[in-house]
Amino acid sequence: MADHAHIVIGGGISGLASAHYSLHAGVDTLLLEASERPGGCIHSSHFEALNDFWVEAGGHTCFNSYGNLLGIMEQIDLLKLTTAKEKKSYKLWSKGKRSGILSALHIFELITALPGLFRVKKAGKTVAEYYGKVLGQKNYQALFSPAFRSVVCQDADDFPAEALFRKKPRRKDVLRAFTMPSGLADIPSAIATQPGFNVRYGAQVHRISAANQGEGIRVELQDGTHLSCERVTLAVPPDVARTLLSEAVPEAAKAIAGVGVAEIDTLVLVFERSKLKVEEIAGLISVDGAFLSAVSRDFLPDDRYRGFAFHFPGGQLSETEREQAACRAIDASVDDIVAKAQVHNRLPALRRDHMERIQALDSALASGQIAVTGNWFLGVSIEDCVTRSRSEHERLFGAVPTAPVAQ
Ligand SMILES: Cc1cc2nc3c(=O)[nH]c(=O)nc-3n(C[C@H](O)[C@H](O)[C@H](O)COP(=O)(O)OP(=O)(O)OC[C@H]3O[C@@H](n4cnc5c(N)ncnc54)[C@H](O)[C@@H]3O)c2cc1C
């Protein structure tokens, strides 16, 4: 007998959604997460000493088009806590100055290029090829390439155009863009603490393989222990998935051999409101700065503090250099930092042929008991993760029930 019917590896939103769906389908499920908290890239940094002021160090906004995520939130009674974000503008950071986004726009070129939106197909094109055509080359170079880079925290020019901004239906009964009272991390935390949800933290998986007769799949942890299960869902970044699949489904591992990962060093800084002169902003899109982008906490203003998360390319600058670069961009003094946090984020680096790789992966997985989900299938947004988790759940366990199941 296997230890569990289903083991989910990885406790970001993809793994949490997978485990949520199987829990609600009545399947005995265990989630194994390497770190000490749920949420992965959804990470609201809290500062207890500052009245529990928080800043988003990763994902910061959910939308009313996130239908599958909203479905899960509804099941655990979380929709009532969605919190409106105040509208603030993003600014460009270029040549050592902040400026309005419109200042970089070539209006005439935009007007002449825009009809391409109805003609040019996204499929098979990179972001640079597609958006260069429908927005104009000058606009793309001056504004949209840096803006897309700031969305995916890495150069987005070679991303498949299909993986950026998929149109999804909106729910009119939900706030258009929302956060949660203590940050988006309220969502993973509520999923992981619902009754019956079985999760183990500090559980890094390093190998999966066929188990003994009748025991299904063997899952080995870094600490030397192992578990067995009938079905496994991998909800980890592509490089980790490749390693874990290499023995269990070598064809699947081969299919995703070239999928890269961007490493991102995120620096969260908090200041006394009274010490900062910079106007309230949604964040910064960096054109030529040392950082890729910055997101502020100004969308939910606090009387006393202001906070920012600056995202830097991984491993390139020292902590001091990062602090200096960040403070320069918001006219702040390093001496005025009242709290800070360092967070490491990882996002997939997708390329033009990505959709073919996913097709090959899906064919290799088709008749087996292993599912793979994450932010590297439909796109990187939180909803893309949940949507993939749902379809993989349905492949292994059948359709997701629409009404909440009593606990
Ligand atoms: C800075 C930033 C801003 C973003 N902003 C937004 C936004 O505003 N809106 C939006 O929709 N999306 C946003 N995103 C994207 C979105 O947050 C992510 O794509 C999504 O949260 C990824 O979820 P995931 O579960 O697929 O992967 P991850 O969050 O990366 O989770 C993977 C988990 O697997 C665990 N793990 C890894 N290896 C192992 C192992 N061997 N054993 C066990 N566990 C393991 C990791 O510890 C991690 O918890 C943002 C992302 C970043 C980085």
Side-chain angles (χ1 to χ4, degrees):
M1 260 272 288
D3 297 320
H4 295 278
H6 183 209
I7 288 181
V8 178
I9 303 171
I13 193 65
S14 301
L16 290 162
S18 301
H20 172 92
Y21 285 131
S22 69
L23 168 68
H24 284 254
V27 179
D28 158 40
T29 303
L30 171 68
L31 186 148
L32 300 172
E33 163 56 40
S35 76
E36 297 299 331
R37 61 168 186 89
C41 289
I42 303 178
H43 184 183
S44 317
S45 284
H46 281 253
F47 299 92
E48 269 179 46
L50 308 181
N51 280 338
D52 213 25
F53 181 73
W54 55 268
V55 180
E56 296 291 15
H60 46 90
T61 311
C62 288
F63 297 94
N64 63 358
S65 55
Y66 286 13
N68 287 313
L69 177 77
L70 295 172
I72 290 179
M73 291 175 69
E74 206 152 37
Q75 280 185 306
I76 53 174
D77 209 15
L78 215 54
L79 276 190
K80 62 181 185 218
L81 295 179
T82 53
T83 304
K85 296 181 70 178
E86 277 189 20
K87 254 204 152 120
K88 300 276 147 68
S89 315
Y90 277 91
K91 299 275 174 190
L92 283 183
W93 174 248
S94 173
K95 300 190 179 109
K97 279 199 191 113
R98 289 186 306 278
S99 57
I101 286 185
L102 290 182
S103 66
L105 209 58
H106 298 269
I107 301 283
F108 182 70
E109 188 191 46
L110 187 67
I111 293 168
T112 48
L114 264 183
L117 266 181
F118 304 101
R119 267 187 290 110
V120 185
K121 294 264 173 305
K122 269 189 180 176
K125 294 201 176 54
T126 63
V127 163
E129 288 166 351
Y130 176 74
Y131 288 100
K133 275 222 162 67
V134 302
L135 301 167
Q137 281 304 331
K138 281 195 224 151
N139 279 317
Y140 184 75
Q141 291 307 332
L143 178 57
F144 291 97
S145 176
F148 296 154
R149 183 165 64 229
S150 79
V151 170
V152 290
C153 292
Q154 61 190 288
D155 217 326
D157 292 352
D158 294 334
F159 253 61
E162 287 166 281
L164 218 59
F165 312 127
R166 282 182 323 111
K167 206 165 163 30
K168 312 164 185 101
R170 294 189 176 278
R171 264 182 70 164
K172 296 274 163 36
D173 60 328
V174 176
L175 290 165
R176 192 178 188 284
F178 66 86
T179 180
M180 299 296 285
S182 305
L184 282 190
D186 285 359
I187 301 172
S189 161
I191 297 174
T193 52
Q194 66 182 297
F197 198 98
N198 192 5
V199 52
R200 199 189 292 177
Y201 297 107
Q204 183 166 352
V205 174
H206 81 117
R207 184 173 175 220
I208 60 170
S209 55
N212 294 330
Q213 198 75 37
E215 284 184 0
I217 302 159
R218 180 180 162 101
V219 175
E220 293 180 30
L221 281 83
Q222 204 67 49
D223 64 8
T225 60
H226 62 87
L227 294 159
S228 62
C229 59
E230 289 155 24
R231 286 161 185 166
V232 157
T233 296
L234 303 186
V236 289
D239 54 339
V240 182
R242 183 175 62 236
T243 307
L244 295 180
L245 287 167
S246 59
E247 201 174 325
V249 198
E251 279 307 303
K254 206 169 124 203
I256 53 169
V259 183
V261 176
E263 308 286 342
I264 302 145
D265 289 330
T266 297
L267 172 66
V268 176
L269 297 177
V270 183
F271 301 86
E272 291 271 359
R273 175 170 283 277
S274 58
K275 296 281 185 187
L276 284 191
K277 291 201 176 57
V278 64
E279 69 278 26
E280 290 204 336
I281 51 173
L284 294 171
I285 295 167
S286 173
V287 176
D288 52 10
F291 59 92
L292 298 156
S293 60
V295 175
S296 94
R297 207 342 258 280
D298 292 340
F299 58 76
L300 202 62
D302 181 82
D303 289 346
R304 177 124 191 234
Y305 300 109
R306 290 181 68 189
F308 301 83
F310 279 84
H311 306 295
F312 289 87
Q316 291 191 5
L317 297 178
S318 69
E319 191 180 328
T320 312
E321 287 169 327
R322 289 201 292 270
E323 279 177 20
Q324 287 168 344
C327 284
R328 208 174 304 128
I330 49 171
D331 302 329
S333 161
V334 172
D335 298 334
D336 289 333
I337 298 170
V338 290
K340 59 187 170 186
Q342 312 278 347
V343 173
H344 191 74
N345 281 305
R346 308 187 80 219
L347 282 176
L350 309 184
R351 294 294 172 261
R352 185 202 298 271
D353 60 355
H354 189 69
M355 300 308 166
E356 287 93 80
R357 287 174 195 269
I358 295 306
Q359 270 173 13
L361 170 73
D362 284 346
S363 315
L365 296 173
S367 54
Q369 303 304 319
I370 297 180
V372 186
T373 179
N375 53 3
W376 43 284
F377 291 88
L378 303 164
V380 299
S381 81
I382 292 166
E383 176 65 5
D384 292 330
C385 297
V386 180
T387 303
R388 171 70 184 188
S389 296
R390 178 175 176 155
S391 66
E392 282 294 84
H393 168 86
E394 292 186 334
R395 183 169 68 78
L396 291 193
F397 300 103
V400 167
T402 41
V405 173
Q407 298 289 329

mmCIF file of all heavy atoms in Angstrom, residues 360-376:
data_model
loop_
_atom_site.group_PDB
_atom_site.id
_atom_site.type_symbol
_atom_site.label_atom_id
_atom_site.label_comp_id
_atom_site.label_asym_id
_atom_site.label_seq_id
_atom_site.Cartn_x
_atom_site.Cartn_y
_atom_site.Cartn_z
ATOM 1 N N ALA A 360 5.376 18.236 -26.310
ATOM 2 C CA ALA A 360 6.175 16.999 -26.184
ATOM 3 C C ALA A 360 6.121 16.488 -24.743
ATOM 4 O O ALA A 360 6.008 15.287 -24.497
ATOM 5 C CB ALA A 360 7.616 17.268 -26.613
ATOM 6 N N LEU A 361 6.184 17.408 -23.784
ATOM 7 C CA LEU A 361 6.095 17.013 -22.374
ATOM 8 C C LEU A 361 4.739 16.363 -22.105
ATOM 9 O O LEU A 361 4.653 15.284 -21.511
ATOM 10 C CB LEU A 361 6.267 18.257 -21.472
ATOM 11 C CG LEU A 361 5.965 18.061 -19.991
ATOM 12 C CD1 LEU A 361 7.068 17.256 -19.308
ATOM 13 C CD2 LEU A 361 5.802 19.391 -19.276
ATOM 14 N N ASP A 362 3.673 17.022 -22.586
ATOM 15 C CA ASP A 362 2.323 16.500 -22.337
ATOM 16 C C ASP A 362 2.131 15.120 -22.972
ATOM 17 O O ASP A 362 1.470 14.261 -22.397
ATOM 18 C CB ASP A 362 1.269 17.497 -22.837
ATOM 19 C CG ASP A 362 1.126 18.678 -21.874
ATOM 20 O OD1 ASP A 362 1.638 18.585 -20.731
ATOM 21 O OD2 ASP A 362 0.514 19.692 -22.245
ATOM 22 N N SER A 363 2.711 14.912 -24.163
ATOM 23 C CA SER A 363 2.567 13.585 -24.784
ATOM 24 C C SER A 363 3.283 12.540 -23.941
ATOM 25 O O SER A 363 2.784 11.431 -23.758
ATOM 26 C CB SER A 363 3.191 13.508 -26.182
ATOM 27 O OG SER A 363 2.852 14.595 -26.918
ATOM 28 N N ALA A 364 4.462 12.894 -23.409
ATOM 29 C CA ALA A 364 5.211 11.921 -22.607
ATOM 30 C C ALA A 364 4.489 11.598 -21.297
ATOM 31 O O ALA A 364 4.613 10.504 -20.758
ATOM 32 C CB ALA A 364 6.616 12.459 -22.326
ATOM 33 N N LEU A 365 3.711 12.569 -20.791
ATOM 34 C CA LEU A 365 3.017 12.357 -19.512
ATOM 35 C C LEU A 365 1.652 11.705 -19.687
ATOM 36 O O LEU A 365 1.075 11.189 -18.718
ATOM 37 C CB LEU A 365 2.790 13.713 -18.802
ATOM 38 C CG LEU A 365 4.018 14.527 -18.361
ATOM 39 C CD1 LEU A 365 3.570 15.904 -17.855
ATOM 40 C CD2 LEU A 365 4.797 13.803 -17.267
ATOM 41 N N ALA A 366 1.130 11.719 -20.930
ATOM 42 C CA ALA A 366 -0.297 11.463 -21.179
ATOM 43 C C ALA A 366 -0.886 10.236 -20.492
ATOM 44 O O ALA A 366 -1.946 10.325 -19.878
ATOM 45 C CB ALA A 366 -0.555 11.407 -22.679
ATOM 46 N N SER A 367 -0.224 9.095 -20.565
ATOM 47 C CA SER A 367 -0.890 7.898 -20.040
ATOM 48 C C SER A 367 -0.413 7.538 -18.630
ATOM 49 O O SER A 367 -0.780 6.486 -18.105
ATOM 50 C CB SER A 367 -0.643 6.720 -20.999
ATOM 51 O OG SER A 367 0.753 6.625 -21.180
ATOM 52 N N GLY A 368 0.380 8.410 -18.015
ATOM 53 C CA GLY A 368 0.965 8.060 -16.718
ATOM 54 C C GLY A 368 0.250 8.662 -15.528
ATOM 55 O O GLY A 368 -0.822 9.259 -15.653
ATOM 56 N N GLN A 369 0.869 8.490 -14.359
ATOM 57 C CA GLN A 369 0.271 8.934 -13.094
ATOM 58 C C GLN A 369 0.990 10.170 -12.543
ATOM 59 O O GLN A 369 0.873 10.484 -11.361
ATOM 60 C CB GLN A 369 0.347 7.800 -12.059
ATOM 61 C CG GLN A 369 -0.315 6.518 -12.502
ATOM 62 C CD GLN A 369 -1.769 6.731 -12.878
ATOM 63 O OE1 GLN A 369 -2.493 7.458 -12.209
ATOM 64 N NE2 GLN A 369 -2.198 6.140 -13.988
ATOM 65 N N ILE A 370 1.775 10.823 -13.411
ATOM 66 C CA ILE A 370 2.520 11.999 -12.967
ATOM 67 C C ILE A 370 1.982 13.232 -13.693
ATOM 68 O O ILE A 370 1.833 13.217 -14.921
ATOM 69 C CB ILE A 370 4.034 11.832 -13.250
ATOM 70 C CG1 ILE A 370 4.557 10.636 -12.440
ATOM 71 C CG2 ILE A 370 4.798 13.118 -12.897
ATOM 72 C CD1 ILE A 370 6.028 10.351 -12.622
ATOM 73 N N ALA A 371 1.673 14.270 -12.919
ATOM 74 C CA ALA A 371 1.222 15.540 -13.490
ATOM 75 C C ALA A 371 2.321 16.579 -13.284
ATOM 76 O O ALA A 371 3.103 16.481 -12.346
ATOM 77 C CB ALA A 371 -0.060 15.996 -12.796
ATOM 78 N N VAL A 372 2.369 17.554 -14.180
ATOM 79 C CA VAL A 372 3.341 18.644 -14.024
ATOM 80 C C VAL A 372 2.612 19.962 -14.231
ATOM 81 O O VAL A 372 1.905 20.153 -15.222
ATOM 82 C CB VAL A 372 4.515 18.523 -15.029
ATOM 83 C CG1 VAL A 372 5.563 19.599 -14.730
ATOM 84 C CG2 VAL A 372 5.162 17.143 -14.960
ATOM 85 N N THR A 373 2.774 20.866 -13.265
ATOM 86 C CA THR A 373 2.128 22.172 -13.380
ATOM 87 C C THR A 373 3.142 23.261 -13.028
ATOM 88 O O THR A 373 4.299 22.969 -12.732
ATOM 89 C CB THR A 373 0.877 22.231 -12.473
ATOM 90 O OG1 THR A 373 0.283 23.528 -12.602
ATOM 91 C CG2 THR A 373 1.206 22.001 -11.003
ATOM 92 N N GLY A 374 2.722 24.510 -13.114
ATOM 93 C CA GLY A 374 3.630 25.606 -12.787
ATOM 94 C C GLY A 374 3.302 26.839 -13.601
ATOM 95 O O GLY A 374 2.270 26.910 -14.278
ATOM 96 N N ASN A 375 4.251 27.792 -13.547
ATOM 97 C CA ASN A 375 4.059 29.059 -14.263
ATOM 98 C C ASN A 375 4.783 29.022 -15.608
ATOM 99 O O ASN A 375 5.117 30.066 -16.149
ATOM 100 C CB ASN A 375 4.571 30.218 -13.407
ATOM 101 C CG ASN A 375 6.002 30.006 -12.947
ATOM 102 O OD1 ASN A 375 6.634 29.013 -13.308
ATOM 103 N ND2 ASN A 375 6.522 30.935 -12.166
ATOM 104 N N TRP A 376 5.017 27.847 -16.134
ATOM 105 C CA TRP A 376 5.744 27.746 -17.407
ATOM 106 C C TRP A 376 4.955 26.939 -18.437
ATOM 107 O O TRP A 376 5.506 26.293 -19.307
ATOM 108 C CB TRP A 376 7.158 27.191 -17.184
ATOM 109 C CG TRP A 376 7.269 26.031 -16.235
ATOM 110 C CD1 TRP A 376 7.197 26.079 -14.874
ATOM 111 C CD2 TRP A 376 7.479 24.658 -16.573
ATOM 112 N NE1 TRP A 376 7.336 24.813 -14.354
ATOM 113 C CE2 TRP A 376 7.538 23.937 -15.358
ATOM 114 C CE3 TRP A 376 7.652 23.970 -17.776
ATOM 115 C CZ2 TRP A 376 7.735 22.561 -15.325
ATOM 116 C CZ3 TRP A 376 7.854 22.604 -17.735
ATOM 117 C CH2 TRP A 376 7.893 21.916 -16.523
#
